[in-house]
Amino acid sequence: MISGLLTSEASRDKIASLAEAEADALAVASGVSVRTLHGPAEMELASALLATIWKAEGNEPHIDPGLLVALAHAHNYVAGAYRGADLVAVCVGFFHPPPDRALHSHIAGVVGGSDGAGVGKALKHHERAWCLRRGTNTMTWTFDPLIARNAYFNIHRLGTAAMEYLPNFYGEMTDSINRGQDSDRMLLVWDLLREPGARIAAGTSEPEACVLYNEDGVPRLSLDSLGSAQRVRVEIPSDIETMRIEHPDRAARWRPALRDALATLMNDGWQVTDFARRGHYSLERTPTRAHSQH
């Protein structure tokens, strides 16, 4: 028993060390340094940056600086990425049951101009390494399932598991990014002990049916066409954020359309297996569901 425990601890230490090395390499590659934040002055900067990223009205705090101080003091995760002396990204997470074994990553934001430079990836891997060093096995977070670049990063590049579709999860939100639309989110779980990366190779299993397709940017729903298909593709716009600015009426139709398709499938036991860069979710029937069709 003791030998097995030591082996387990040694294995975890090795995984944590590798994760730290990878996080450091990603930070260097993206030209930033990532570290945890402490004290009122740093939290004021972090709060202001998040308000800027989310375009909060009147630059009101998106997260109160005092709350960030309290979270960090209670040994939760509050970290930032610096390019030189400038704070360019912030990530905040807090522990949830089972105690100290799971962290919910509540918010992560990268200032415009740095989001395509790998800063977000460096920050996420720093968060993973920080968790592993503290014996934390899993990380959860939510994201807007209509934002294709985030879906690709979260599901394909990190290899997270999509667990639940959450309609209007936060209720009405007042920041400029989310104002005027339901705050639907997808709940993800990241197995931190697993090497990051897609759970299946993209394109190895061609979908047999397409639930949602894009015709001139307008969503169409076709759940009835599934039949006995075991794999399905659910398409979304490649850039819903630009569509929300240039074609707000068209963009607004995508929220209920995706909810009807993706939430219905996931509630019926379909599992999200991947997300393709070109803009679609891949899902497969679970064996129990597939068996029940015959």
Side-chain angles (χ1 to χ4, degrees), residues 150-219:
N150 288 348
Y152 180 75
F153 175 73
N154 290 329
I155 297 172
H156 182 79
R157 299 193 69 178
L158 295 183
T160 62
M163 301 303 294
E164 189 176 1
Y165 190 101
L166 303 167
N168 203 23
F169 181 59
Y170 293 110
E172 182 179 355
M173 303 180 74
T174 59
D175 61 87
S176 297
I177 292 177
N178 295 288
R179 185 186 299 121
Q181 57 180 309
D182 284 351
S183 56
D184 288 26
R185 295 294 183 266
M186 183 177 286
L187 176 66
L188 303 171
V189 176
W190 194 14
D191 179 0
L192 301 180
L193 295 175
R194 176 188 175 279
E195 183 69 20
R199 287 175 292 123
I200 64 168
T204 57
S205 297
E206 282 298 320
E208 299 170 343
C210 179
V211 170
L212 199 63
Y213 61 91
N214 187 346
E215 180 181 297
D216 298 326
V218 178

Side-chain angles (χ1 to χ4, degrees), residues 216-217 240-254:
D216 298 326
I240 191 67
E241 294 160 299
T242 297
M243 185 185 292
R244 286 168 179 165
I245 296 171
E246 298 179 354
H247 306 285
D249 292 340
R250 184 185 301 171
R253 297 174 62 179
W254 273 97

Side-chain angles (χ1 to χ4, degrees), residues 32-65:
V32 298
S33 60
V34 182
R35 60 178 175 82
T36 55
L37 304 180
H38 305 277
E42 290 186 333
M43 300 313 184
E44 288 279 358
L45 289 175
S47 176
L49 184 70
L50 291 172
T52 299
I53 293 170
W54 265 263
K55 302 176 183 177
E57 189 171 348
N59 273 342
E60 287 294 320
H62 199 63
I63 297 184
D64 183 79

Side-chain angles (χ1 to χ4, degrees), residues 71-78 92-106 127-140 192:
L71 287 171
H73 184 73
H75 305 289
N76 294 287
Y77 183 79
V78 183
V92 180
F94 50 83
F95 288 106
H96 65 87
D100 296 336
R101 294 294 179 181
L103 184 92
H104 183 74
S105 188
H106 175 59
E127 188 177 18
R128 173 179 180 250
W130 183 91
C131 286
L132 285 169
R133 188 55 73 186
R134 285 154 181 79
T136 303
N137 296 330
T138 61
M139 187 190 303
T140 64
L192 301 180

